């Protein structure tokens, strides 16, 4: 079998702060094949956005990063900033969470899409503009020939996110990272944007990492799901396996927090008690143990390793749940 | 539109109070114009005749209204001393001062923008600290001191540029610019620091924005991010300051014109103050006020150009 | 208890620790008052001491003309040389410091004091009071500061007191605006509304509830204004519009030396250097204190 599109090997990213080292990503490894979708799920502060920036190699100056990120056989961690810039756009691109702030307020839509085309594909300005209109049409923006000359403030949130997607797919990247692409949007628009991403991905045969805090988003849209907690992957499986055969209590708690259609109205969503762990002084054992209702002395004293339980279902837990317990 | 109207209203009130205030001040200037006009050995009758002719004994408010009426109909009055039309004197000297101020502001901007960009690129870095120190030194160096140093070094020591003088544009562009370089430098070298600091502060904020992160993710070069993506949204405060600085610039040009012997409004004003030529003083101050107000109005327009959101509000009126 | 809520802040979490680190690092830097603070402070101490005790330093009288020793460079008798009338430069610079320092301290205090009153009135009473004060301030701003000083100096003459007062007037607009904004900000806070509900008088509310909250930005503002006042006084005396000759002032001494820049540059350049160092020192010391004040205030809240 040839090498997967993306290999992340023991990635660690920490930030030096006055209070100490914040270990935002703490030894993450996974692979992603071409054209596949990986969902990365976790609470705020679980390190999933930092992971996405570690893959893009877009880290602030005070970040300490180690590990290996291989994209199409090349080790991104060993590349110069200049070489990386040439990759961002044509090979790997990203859609951010908040479309209200991720577009430049003083540049036209056309200029923001067009510069990617002129920079990476060497198009003329005129060709870039024509191509921008096509891209806008393909992401379902009405009146693309008018919108191309407008500024972001003239567009709604959903429309802006469509523009952001158009920018991300402009150079047909092999890998698209969507970092909470629908969190800031109205509920009615969320499904449209997710469907658009799925359609673009299928059409262009891109691999996608879909980052979200919402288990409901990954269901049915991702091939695989990785659950992150305290900077580590705590459970990873095919979406089907994960939903059917949940092993990690944390995953189970995340699943319980999805509102269901058949819920009685105003049912209180089940929430996970306790706070996410302090990433400067993480708990000695399993990071989730202080909040886990099954935790015992072993959980609190020794960190469990991420182990494969067959069929690519990996989890890190001393007291994995059985199917019955998950019900 | 209502906002614009309110602004305009306020503007008119300000203009009226500026001119009236000056009128009052000028009128309590010590020394009697009539005496000076009449000459040393003139009789009381002759002086009184001049007073009557100028209407100096009338109520200040009435005389102000007369003067203001004249301004509105284009009659700025004539100098008491040499009978020169105030309007004519101003029209002749204003372009000179304007050129000086524009050159100074150009120098200030061409220092402030690159320095601000470099500083904001890595705040706290070596370049930032060097520029910060330079700015401190520069802001502690008022224009008249800079002028002395520039003259000492470039005129007397090196002999490259003239220490005084002025050539009209008709004498050729270089001939016109040559004697303007040192004065404009003296003015501009004080002003750049404030502009630079303002740009730096705003740009550090802008560089934290998500759209800058996206530009990086798009593979844009640092230079392009700074110049194309960050500069425009970072310039709002700096542009506002450009307008407010016009006041300081005019004050500075008074001294600089004096030092370098440039025949602009500043020298005209100092001369008028020294000779108690109050109709001329009045004209100079009025022109300064108009220039200040106009500059700030232009800033409003520049805002609209910089920020498409403002432009839209305007269009909707 | 933390719910699993949409983590809107997640997007910025990559930057958050960064800001944090910067803030803490610069905080530590700020708290150390290094040579950049102590050397300028020492210089200011020397200048102030010399100005205060000028009469006891055994200097030549500042206005003693000596035609036998004009335009002399620094020598044994005259450490900093003499000017075009043979007057001792050191003495003129030290006595000049008196003028500069007096104006430097008095003018900002006068301006900020008056601006404080106007700003509080505008921000607290709002309505027409605010409107009138606003127009007055706009008017004041529309006339270049130097023009105002020019007229004032001719109308009211060049006594030291008048120079301080008229220069102080220039600081009113900004001080008033800062105060007004801060007052507007604070006069709607709960504690002010509560005080008002309990029947406190306006004066009491303003002095007890509002004033302590707006005094810090104003103190910082005075610190910025001291070097500015010294510079403007310098410009004014350079034009011969400050204190009357023969009282020496830095700007005046620099201006007198301008004629002799070619043969005896020390007459202009020495006072220029002294004034530069003094203004720079005030800027550096003021900046350090201002950062300290901000830290103290942030820490207190």
């Amino acid at each position: 079998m040839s090498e997967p599109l993306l290999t992340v090997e023991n990635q660690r990213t920490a930030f030096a702060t006055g209070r100490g080292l914040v270990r935002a990503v703490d030894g993450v490894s996974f692979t992603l094949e071409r054209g596949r979708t990986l969902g990365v799920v976790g609470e705020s502060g679980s390190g999933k956005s930092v992971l996405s920036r570690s893959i893009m190699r877009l880290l602030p100056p005070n970040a300490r990063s180690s590990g290996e990120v291989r994209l199409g056989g090349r080790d991104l961690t060993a590349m110069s900033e200049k070489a990386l810039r040439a990759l961002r756009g044509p090979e790997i691109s990203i859609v951010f969470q908040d479309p209200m702030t991720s577009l430049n307020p003083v540049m036209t839509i056309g200029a923001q899409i067009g510069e990617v085309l002129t920079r990476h594909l060497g198009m003329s300005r005129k060709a870039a503009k024509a191509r921008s209109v096509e891209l806008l049409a393909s992401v379902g923006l009405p009146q693309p020939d008018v919108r191309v000359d407008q500024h972001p403030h003239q567009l709604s949130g959903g429309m802006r996110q469509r523009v952001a997607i158009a920018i991300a797919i402009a150079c047909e990247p092999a890998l698209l990272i969507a970092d909470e692409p629908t969190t800031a949007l109205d509920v009615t628009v969320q499904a449209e944007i997710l469907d658009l991403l799925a359609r673009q991905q299928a059409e262009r045969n891109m691999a996608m990492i879909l980052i979200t805090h919402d288990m409901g988003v990954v269901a049915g849209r991702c091939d695989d799901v990785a659950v992150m907690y305290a900077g580590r992957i705590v459970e990873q499986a095919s979406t089907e396996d994960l939903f059917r055969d949940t092993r990690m209590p944390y995953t189970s708690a995340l699943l319980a927090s999805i509102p269901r259609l058949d819920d009685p109205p105003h049912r209180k969503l089940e929430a996970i008690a306790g706070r996410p762990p302090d990433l400067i002084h993480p708990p000695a054992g399993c990071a989730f143990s202080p909040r886990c209702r099954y935790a015992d002395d072993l959980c609190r004293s020794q960190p469990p390793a991420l182990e494969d339980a067959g069929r690519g279902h990996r989890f890190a837990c001393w007291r994995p749940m059985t199917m019955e317990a998950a019900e | 539109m209502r906002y614009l109207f309110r602004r305009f209203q306020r503007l008119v009130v300000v203009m009226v109070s500026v001119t009236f205030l000056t009128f009052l001040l000028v009128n309590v200037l010590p020394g009697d114009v009539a005496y000076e006009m009449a000459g040393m050995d003139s009789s009381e009758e002759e002086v009184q005749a001049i007073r009557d002719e100028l209407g100096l004994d009338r109520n200040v408010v009435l005389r102000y209204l007369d003067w203001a009426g004249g301004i509105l109909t284009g009659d700025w009055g004539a100098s008491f001393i040499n009978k020169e039309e105030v309007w004519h004197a101003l029209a002749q000297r204003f372009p000179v001062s304007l050129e000086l101020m524009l050159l100074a502001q150009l120098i200030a901007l061409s220092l402030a923008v690159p320095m601000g960009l470099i500083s904001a690129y890595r705040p706290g870095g070596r370049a930032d600290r060097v520029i910060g120190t330079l700015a401190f030194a520069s802001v502690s160096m008022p224009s008249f001191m800079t002028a002395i140093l520039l003259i000492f070094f470039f005129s007397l020591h090196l002999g490259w540029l003239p220490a005084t003088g002025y050539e009209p544009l008709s004498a050729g562009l270089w001939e016109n610019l040559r004697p303007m370089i040192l004065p404009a430098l003296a003015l501009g070298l004080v002003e750049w620091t404030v502009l630079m600091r303002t740009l730096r502060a705003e740009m550090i904020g802008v560089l934290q924005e998500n759209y800058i992160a996206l530009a990086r993710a798009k593979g844009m070069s640092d230079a392009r991010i700074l110049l194309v993506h960050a500069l425009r949204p970072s310039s709002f405060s700096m542009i506002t300051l450009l307008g407010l600085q016009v006041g300081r610039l005019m004050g500075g040009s008074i001294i600089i014109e004096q030092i370098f012997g440039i025949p602009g409004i500043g020298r005209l004003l100092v001369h008028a103050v020294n000779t108690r030529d109050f109709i001329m003083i009045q004209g100079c101050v009025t022109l300064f006020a108009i220039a200040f107000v106009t500059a700030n109005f232009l800033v409003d327009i520049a805002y609209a150009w910089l920020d498409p959101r403002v432009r839209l509000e305007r269009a909707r009126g | 208890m933390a719910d699993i809520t949409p983590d809107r802040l997640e997007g910025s979490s990559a930057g958050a620790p960064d800001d944090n680190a910067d803030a803490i690092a610069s905080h530590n830097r700020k708290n150390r008052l290094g040579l950049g603070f102590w050397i300028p402070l020492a210089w200011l101490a020397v200048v102030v001491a010399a100005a205060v005790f000028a009469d006891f330093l055994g200097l030549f009288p500042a206005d003693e003309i000596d035609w036998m020793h004009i335009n002399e460079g620094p020598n044994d008798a005259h450490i900093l040389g003499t000017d075009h009338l043979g007057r001792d430069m050191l003495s003129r610079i030290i006595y000049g410091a008196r003028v500069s320092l007096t104006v430097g301290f008095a003018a900002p205090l006068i301006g900020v004091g008056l601006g404080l009153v106007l700003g509080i009135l505008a921000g607290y009473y709002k309505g027409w009071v605010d409107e009138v004060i606003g127009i007055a301030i706009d008017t004041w701003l529309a006339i270049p500061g130097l023009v105002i000083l020019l007229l004032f100096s001719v109308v009211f003459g060049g006594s030291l007191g008048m120079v301080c007062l008229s220069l102080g007037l220039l600081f009113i607009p900004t001080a008033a605006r800062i105060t007004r904004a801060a007052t507007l900000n604070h006069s709607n806070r709960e504690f002010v509304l509560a005080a008002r509900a309990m029947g406190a008088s306006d004066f009491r509310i303003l002095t007890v509830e509002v004033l302590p909250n707006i005094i810090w930005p104003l103190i910082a503002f005075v610190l910025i204004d001291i070097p500015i006042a010294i510079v403007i006084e310098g410009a004014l005396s350079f034009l011969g519009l400050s204190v009357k000759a023969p009282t020496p002032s830095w700007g005046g001494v620099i201006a007198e030396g301008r004629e002799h820049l070619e043969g005896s540059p020390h007459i202009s350049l020495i006072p220029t250097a002294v004034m530069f160092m003094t203004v720079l020192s005030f800027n550096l010391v003021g900046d350090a204190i201002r950062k300290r004040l901000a830290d103290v205030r942030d820490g207190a809240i």
Side-chain angles (χ1 to χ4, degrees):
Chain A
M1 201 177 126
S2 68
E3 191 175 358
L5 172 69
L6 176 71
T7 308
V8 176
E9 193 62 50
N10 199 19
Q11 172 66 38
R12 291 174 195 274
T13 311
F15 299 102
T17 73
R19 290 191 302 131
L21 213 56
V22 177
R23 294 185 178 84
V25 173
D26 198 15
V28 167
S29 306
F30 66 90
T31 59
L32 181 63
E33 303 289 341
R34 281 180 195 279
R36 303 275 289 181
T37 305
L38 171 70
V40 175
V41 190
E43 290 172 278
S44 336
S46 60
K48 47 198 201 303
S49 277
V50 177
L51 176 63
S52 73
R53 282 162 177 75
S54 305
I55 296 171
M56 298 275 308
R57 311 311 298 166
L58 282 172
L59 292 166
N62 68 330
R64 315 266 162 78
S65 169
S66 69
E68 215 175 80
V69 177
R70 302 175 66 79
L71 183 76
R74 283 165 297 191
D75 183 1
L76 301 191
T77 57
M79 287 174 86
S80 72
E81 180 60 28
K82 197 174 170 217
L84 283 169
R85 275 204 293 267
L87 289 187
R88 293 182 194 130
E91 297 289 326
I92 180 168
S93 66
I94 188 164
V95 174
F96 285 129
Q97 173 180 340
D98 185 1
M100 294 313 203
T101 58
S102 59
L103 296 178
N104 193 318
V106 303
M107 290 171 74
T108 63
I109 304 298
Q112 298 189 52
I113 305 175
E115 65 176 359
V116 190
L117 301 167
T118 48
R119 160 88 171 83
H120 294 295
L121 305 182
M123 283 191 184
S124 69
R125 275 176 178 238
K126 210 175 147 195
K129 185 165 178 189
R131 179 77 185 120
S132 302
V133 175
E134 287 172 29
L135 282 164
L136 287 175
S138 78
V139 296
L141 198 72
Q143 292 178 288
D145 49 332
V146 178
R147 297 296 183 189
V148 77
D149 290 321
Q150 290 186 334
H151 288 89
H153 69 275
Q154 291 161 286
L155 275 61
S156 70
M159 277 151 74
R160 289 190 214 186
Q161 200 59 309
R162 284 175 196 274
V163 172
I165 293 171
I167 292 173
I169 61 172
C171 299
E172 313 255 333
L175 171 64
L176 173 67
I177 301 176
D179 189 354
E180 303 254 5
T182 60
T183 306
L185 299 177
D186 282 350
V187 185
T188 47
V189 190
Q190 291 188 1
E192 284 176 37
I193 294 293
L194 289 169
D195 291 343
L196 170 66
L197 280 169
R199 200 168 59 243
Q200 292 295 335
Q201 184 198 2
E203 274 174 23
R204 296 167 205 271
N205 194 32
M206 295 182 294
M208 180 158 83
I209 297 176
L210 179 59
I211 294 174
T212 177
H213 63 273
D214 184 355
M215 274 290 186
V217 166
V218 297
R221 290 195 176 85
C222 297
D223 302 307
D224 298 283
V225 177
V227 177
M228 277 189 80
Y229 189 79
R232 298 180 183 188
I233 294 181
V234 293
E235 182 162 15
Q236 183 182 6
S238 68
T239 312
E240 201 189 326
D241 279 352
L242 191 85
F243 276 69
R244 207 192 35 184
D245 184 18
T246 311
R247 306 307 295 270
M248 170 76 194
Y250 177 63
T251 314
S252 159
L254 281 176
L255 284 169
S257 68
I258 309 175
R260 290 166 201 274
L261 277 180
D262 51 4
D263 279 339
H266 307 301
R267 187 188 76 107
K268 197 162 177 285
L269 281 181
E270 218 173 298
I272 303 175
R275 300 172 153 277
D278 179 355
L279 295 176
I280 296 175
H281 308 291
C286 168
F288 187 57
S289 62
R291 301 165 75 186
C292 181
R293 66 174 111 158
Y294 307 107
D296 59 15
D297 288 346
L298 180 62
C299 298
R300 280 185 276 270
S301 57
Q302 286 198 33
L306 185 66
E307 275 166 11
D308 199 326
R311 288 201 309 160
H313 192 151
R314 303 191 295 167
F315 59 86
C317 187
W318 293 121
R319 298 277 173 267
M321 299 165 34
T322 55
M323 249 185 266
E324 298 77 58
E327 283 307 309
Chain B
M1 210 50 203
R2 251 187 69 200
Y3 169 76
L4 272 186
F5 182 69
R6 267 188 64 85
R7 266 195 74 92
F8 185 72
Q9 252 184 339
R10 180 83 170 244
L11 217 139
V12 171
V13 176
V14 167
M15 283 306 299
V16 170
S17 42
V18 168
T19 47
F20 185 63
L21 192 75
T22 335
F23 209 84
L24 275 180
L25 264 180
V26 169
N27 269 280
V28 289
L29 281 183
D32 192 326
V33 196
Y35 268 111
E36 291 195 21
M37 288 173 68
M40 290 295 262
D41 37 35
S42 51
S43 67
E44 188 60 33
E45 287 74 34
E46 282 172 300
V47 173
Q48 190 57 43
I50 294 174
R51 275 203 194 111
D52 288 341
E53 186 197 325
L54 298 175
L56 289 183
D57 291 332
R58 287 164 59 220
N59 183 305
V60 170
V61 178
L62 286 178
R63 282 193 289 141
Y64 172 73
L65 289 177
D66 268 0
W67 175 84
I71 293 284
L72 289 178
T73 55
D75 174 17
W76 290 50
S79 160
F80 292 161
I81 308 300
N82 57 11
K83 300 290 174 221
E84 188 183 8
E85 284 275 334
V86 171
W87 178 244
H88 179 76
L90 293 176
Q92 216 171 29
R93 287 162 175 88
F94 182 66
V96 180
S97 296
L98 189 68
E99 183 189 351
L100 174 64
M101 288 189 262
L102 284 178
L103 280 176
Q105 206 66 313
L106 202 70
I107 290 171
L109 267 178
S110 53
L111 280 172
V113 172
M115 299 272 200
L117 283 172
I118 295 169
S119 275
Y121 179 60
R122 293 245 186 281
R126 186 175 301 166
D128 184 32
R129 278 177 308 189
V130 169
I131 291 174
T133 312
L134 258 177
F136 251 116
S138 185
V139 88
S140 305
M141 194 77 192
S143 58
F144 67 92
M145 279 162 52
T146 315
I148 293 283
L149 291 184
L150 288 175
I151 291 178
F152 177 70
F153 196 67
F154 287 102
S155 300
L156 301 179
H157 199 70
L158 295 173
W160 287 355
L161 293 161
T164 54
Y166 172 78
E167 290 292 332
L169 200 54
S170 55
L173 184 65
W174 175 238
E175 288 307 307
N176 167 256
L177 281 180
R178 228 170 80 88
M180 276 291 194
I181 294 174
L182 290 185
L185 263 177
L187 261 182
L189 283 180
V190 195
E191 299 296 325
W192 75 275
T193 53
V194 202
L195 296 173
M196 187 277 287
R197 282 183 186 159
T198 317
L199 178 66
R200 174 184 178 275
E202 201 167 2
M203 185 168 261
I204 287 174
V206 163
L207 288 176
Q208 306 279 329
E209 292 281 347
N210 280 336
Y211 57 83
I212 298 298
L214 186 66
R216 291 219 166 91
K218 282 154 81 175
M220 296 298 134
S221 66
D222 286 354
R224 186 174 168 88
I225 287 174
L226 286 176
L227 290 172
V228 179
H229 290 258
L231 182 56
R232 240 171 82 184
S234 307
S235 336
F236 295 101
S237 310
M238 192 180 71
I239 296 287
T240 312
L241 211 66
L242 276 181
L244 291 174
Q245 264 184 341
V246 169
R248 280 177 41 174
L249 220 49
M250 289 189 293
S253 72
I254 295 176
I255 301 183
I256 293 299
E257 286 177 12
Q258 208 65 19
I259 298 178
F260 288 93
I262 297 169
I265 302 282
R267 274 193 97 188
L268 184 69
L269 177 64
V270 172
H271 183 73
V273 168
N274 286 336
T275 55
R276 310 286 183 266
D277 190 353
F278 79 67
I279 200 84
M280 193 62 94
I281 299 177
Q282 187 72 28
C284 291
V285 176
T286 307
L287 190 72
F288 273 143
I290 291 175
F292 182 76
V293 165
T294 313
N296 284 288
F297 189 72
L298 289 177
V299 163
D300 271 6
I301 295 173
Y303 246 84
W305 172 76
L306 275 174
D307 189 350
R309 284 163 294 193
V310 178
R311 204 185 303 162
L312 192 76
E313 277 159 32
R314 287 279 155 80
R316 280 186 188 146
Chain C
M1 159 164 172
D3 295 0
I4 297 188
T5 43
D7 46 355
R8 289 177 189 283
L9 293 176
E10 174 79 6
S12 61
S13 72
D18 178 27
D19 298 346
N20 201 2
D22 268 7
I24 291 165
S26 63
H27 189 267
N28 291 339
R29 269 202 302 278
K30 271 182 223 161
N31 268 343
R32 279 203 316 268
L33 294 174
L35 289 179
F37 174 79
W38 294 111
I39 292 177
L41 193 70
W43 168 259
L44 290 181
V46 170
V47 174
V48 170
V52 171
F53 301 110
D55 296 337
F56 309 104
L57 295 178
L59 299 162
F60 288 89
D63 50 0
E64 188 183 73
I65 295 172
D66 180 359
W67 294 108
M68 301 302 292
H69 300 96
I70 61 166
N71 293 341
E72 274 180 8
N75 56 51
D76 287 347
H78 302 277
I79 300 170
L80 297 181
T82 58
D83 72 358
H84 64 294
L85 298 178
R87 294 176 293 193
D88 181 54
M89 287 296 295
L90 178 65
S91 171
R92 290 186 70 71
I93 287 173
I94 288 179
Y95 279 95
R98 286 187 160 185
V99 175
S100 288
L101 293 176
T102 309
V103 175
F105 287 115
L109 286 176
I110 294 171
V112 169
L114 293 174
L116 174 76
V117 174
L118 289 178
I120 280 195
L121 292 178
Y124 188 76
Y125 290 106
K126 307 186 185 88
W128 67 267
V129 180
D130 190 18
E131 190 74 12
V132 169
I133 291 175
I135 288 173
I137 287 174
D138 279 4
T139 305
W140 211 222
L141 279 176
I143 315 176
L146 209 66
V147 174
I148 296 178
L149 292 174
L150 210 71
L151 295 178
F152 268 56
S153 74
V154 179
V155 176
F156 301 113
S159 73
L160 190 56
M162 268 331 289
V163 173
C164 290
L165 181 65
S166 53
L167 228 149
L169 295 178
L170 295 189
F171 294 111
I172 292 179
T174 323
R177 281 185 173 175
I178 294 174
T179 317
R180 177 181 172 274
T183 310
L184 274 177
N185 193 5
H186 283 285
S187 62
N188 286 328
R189 296 266 177 97
E190 290 79 9
F191 56 84
V192 174
L193 297 178
R196 195 178 293 170
M198 283 159 62
S201 70
D202 282 356
F203 181 76
R204 201 186 141 70
I205 291 176
L206 286 174
T207 50
V208 178
E209 309 286 352
V210 177
L211 193 61
N213 285 300
I214 59 179
I215 203 76
W216 291 110
L218 285 179
I219 289 180
F221 187 62
V222 170
L223 287 174
I224 301 173
D225 283 346
I226 291 174
I228 296 178
I230 293 178
V231 164
I232 300 179
E233 193 282 328
L236 213 55
S237 55
F238 186 84
L239 286 178
L241 295 168
S242 181
V243 289
K244 287 214 174 64
T247 312
S249 63
W250 287 347
V253 178
I254 297 174
E256 283 164 8
R258 191 157 55 106
E259 308 295 324
H260 311 277
L261 210 48
E262 185 122 42
S264 316
H266 70 277
I267 303 178
S268 268
L269 298 190
I270 291 175
T272 298
V274 170
M275 191 170 163
F276 171 68
M277 287 200 286
T278 307
V279 173
L280 181 63
S281 297
F282 270 115
N283 277 328
L284 289 171
V285 170
D287 197 55
I289 296 179
R290 221 152 35 82
K291 282 179 179 158
R292 261 287 164 99
L293 281 180
D295 283 355
V296 169
R297 193 166 29 131
D298 293 347
I301 289 173

